[in-house]
Amino acid sequence: DAASGPEGPIASGSPRALVNLGGEAPQNWQQWDKIIELVSTDPQDREAAQARWRYYRSLGLEPSHHAAK
């Protein structure tokens, strides 16, 4: 499995999942079974995450939201 720098992808396990720590949607999203996005409460981070959500939806994907407790 692959890993990279602090803002790069981290892949692990099966199904193949990408933990996206970057500010943009991955260009190679098709190769992943699941994309996990961790979003802080920072307004700029939330705004970028909402833009990625809309992008995923425009691709015909159905993102789901799971709030941390």
Side-chain angles (χ1 to χ4, degrees):
D1 294 339
S4 68
E7 292 190 10
I10 299 173
S12 179
S14 181
R16 290 180 37 85
L18 170 71
V19 178
N20 185 18
L21 301 177
E24 298 181 10
Q27 292 183 4
N28 59 347
W29 62 269
Q30 301 95 332
Q31 76 182 41
W32 305 102
D33 296 327
K34 182 180 285 193
I35 299 171
I36 300 166
E37 303 245 349
L38 304 176
V39 181
S40 74
T41 57
D42 176 75
Q44 289 180 328
D45 190 28
R46 292 175 57 87
E47 186 176 316
Q50 291 168 348
R52 290 191 304 273
W53 179 284
R54 288 188 296 273
Y55 172 70
Y56 295 137
R57 295 284 312 260
S58 77
L59 296 171
L61 304 174
E62 291 294 327
S64 59
H65 176 262
H66 302 281
K69 295 183 180 184

